C-alpha cells in the first residue's frame, strides 16, 4: 500500500532512475570514469547522476544511451525523467496566479480521461461537489494560503468541469470514508445540500459510489492519503504543501491495487444511501 508521499518520494524516484542508468552502463561494460570521458564530463558527474544527487539533463540521458550502445532507450528514459520532474510542485508555485488557473490547469487530463478512480477520507471530491461546497472549500484555501481573491472565477471553472460527469463515456468510481460525510465544509445548509447531491449523483449511470463505514474492520488496510487515478496513466495526490503527480507505472499500480482493496471494504447502493442519510440527520 502507498505510504503518505512527500518530497522524499521524488528523491526516491531519482535514486531509482539513477540505479537504472547505472545498470545500463554496467551492462555496456563501461566504468563510470570511461563514460564520463566519452561524454566529456567531469569524472565525478556520472557517479552523482547514478546516486540520485544530480538529476541528469535530457542531453545527459541521450549521452548515456548513445555511449552505452542503447540509443533506442533514450526516449523512454527521457519520458521517465520528465515524469520525475513534474512529480512534486509546491502549492505556492501552482497558485501564484490564483485558484482559477489551478482549476484550468487540470482541464486537459479531466477531458481525456475515461476511467476515474477517486478515493477520499476527508473531502467530497471535485466531480461531485455542489457549488456552495466548492465556494466554502476554495474560500478556506484562499484565506489559509493568502492568495489573490479569484474564488468566484475558480468556482465557475470547477462547476463547468463537472459536465464530464454527464457527458461522453467518462466513468467515475468513487470511494469515500464515512468521515468525509461528517467533516463540515461550510455551514449546515451547505453540507446538507452537498450530502443530498451525493444521493442524486450516486444514481447516475456514470457514477459508482462506495462508502467505507466507520465501523468497518480496517486491519487489512486503514485509511490512506486521498488520490485520483486518471485511467492507468497518472495518479494525483494533494499534500499539505504540494501537489504530487505520479506517472511511473509501478507506483500507479500500487494506487490501483489500494483502490481495489478499499473498494472491497465499501458499502454500495442501499448501504451507501443509508450512511449518507445518517450524516444528513446528524446535521440536526
Amino acid at each position: 500500500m502507498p505510504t503518505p508521499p512527500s518530497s522524499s518520494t521524488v528523491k526516491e524516484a531519482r535514486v531509482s532512475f539513477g540505479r537504472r542508468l547505472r545498470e545500463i552502463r554496467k551492462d555496456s561494460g563501461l566504468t563510470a570514469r570511461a563514460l564520463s570521458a566519452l561524454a566529456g564530463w567531469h569524472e565525478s558527474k556520472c557517479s552523482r547522476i547514478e546516486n540520485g544527487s544530480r538529476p541528469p539533463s535530457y542531453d545527459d540521458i541521450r549521452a548515456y544511451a548513445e555511449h552505452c550502445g542503447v540509443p533506442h532507450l533514450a526516449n523512454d528514459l527521457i519520458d521517465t525523467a520528465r515524469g520525475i520532474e513534474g512529480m512534486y510542485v509546491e502549492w505556492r508555485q501552482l497558485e501564484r496566479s490564483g485558484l482559477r488557473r489551478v482549476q484550468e490547469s487540470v482541464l486537459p487530463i479531466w477531458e481525456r480521461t475515461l476511467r476515474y478512480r477517486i478515493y477520499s477520507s476527508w473531502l467530497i471530491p471535485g466531480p461531485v461537489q455542489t457549488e456552495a461546497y466548492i465556494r466554502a472549500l476554495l474560500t478556506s484555501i484562499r484565506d489559509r494560503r493568502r492568495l489573490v481573491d479569484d474564488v468566484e472565477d475558480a468556482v465557475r471553472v470547477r462547476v463547468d468541469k463537472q459536465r464530464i460527469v454527464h457527458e461522453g463515456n467518462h466513468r467515475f468510481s468513487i470511494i469515500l470514508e464515512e468521515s468525509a460525510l461528517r467533516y463540515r465544509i461550510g455551514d449546515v445548509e451547505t453540507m446538507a445540500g452537498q450530502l443530498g447531491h451525493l444521493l442524486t449523483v450516486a444514481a447516475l449511470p456514470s457514477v459508482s459510489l462506495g462508502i467505507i463505514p466507520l465501523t468497518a474492520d480496517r486491519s487489512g488496510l486503514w485509511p490512506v492519503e486521498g488520490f485520483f487515478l486518471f485511467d492507468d496513466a497518472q495518479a494525483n495526490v494533494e499534500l499539505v504543501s504540494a501537489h504530487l503527480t505520479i506517472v511511473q507505472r509501478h507506483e500507479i499500480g500500487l494506487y490501483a491495487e489500494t483502490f481495489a482493496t478499499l473498494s472491497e471494504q465499501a458499502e454500495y447502493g442501499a448501504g451507501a444511501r443509508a450512511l449518507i442519510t445518517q450524516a444528513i440527520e446528524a446535521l440536526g
Side-chain angles (χ1 to χ4, degrees), residues 22-133:
R22 182 185 298 115
E23 290 170 355
I24 288 172
R25 175 182 57 75
K26 287 186 173 181
D27 287 345
S28 74
L30 290 174
T31 64
R33 179 173 295 180
L35 176 57
S36 293
L38 287 170
W41 300 337
H42 187 279
E43 63 180 24
S44 66
K45 178 175 177 176
C46 185
S47 295
R48 293 200 302 272
I49 289 174
E50 292 178 0
N51 66 28
S53 63
R54 172 174 179 162
S57 69
Y58 298 161
D59 284 341
D60 293 338
I61 294 170
R62 290 188 185 94
Y64 257 92
E66 178 182 350
H67 295 303
C68 293
V70 287
H72 59 284
L73 294 182
N75 289 338
D76 178 61
L77 292 168
I78 288 171
D79 286 344
T80 300
R82 185 177 290 116
I84 294 171
E85 287 175 2
M87 283 176 67
Y88 187 87
V89 182
E90 290 188 1
W91 286 118
R92 62 184 176 181
Q93 179 180 343
L94 276 175
E95 297 168 343
R96 66 178 59 174
S97 299
L99 290 166
R100 178 177 63 86
R101 291 288 180 88
V102 176
Q103 300 302 315
E104 291 174 338
S105 69
V106 298
L107 281 173
I109 192 166
W110 274 55
E111 291 174 348
R112 69 175 177 263
T113 298
L114 295 179
R115 184 189 181 197
Y116 292 78
R117 284 164 288 177
I118 304 169
Y119 166 77
S120 180
S121 60
W122 55 81
L123 290 175
I124 308 302
V128 292
Q129 292 173 349
T130 64
E131 182 174 337
Y133 189 94

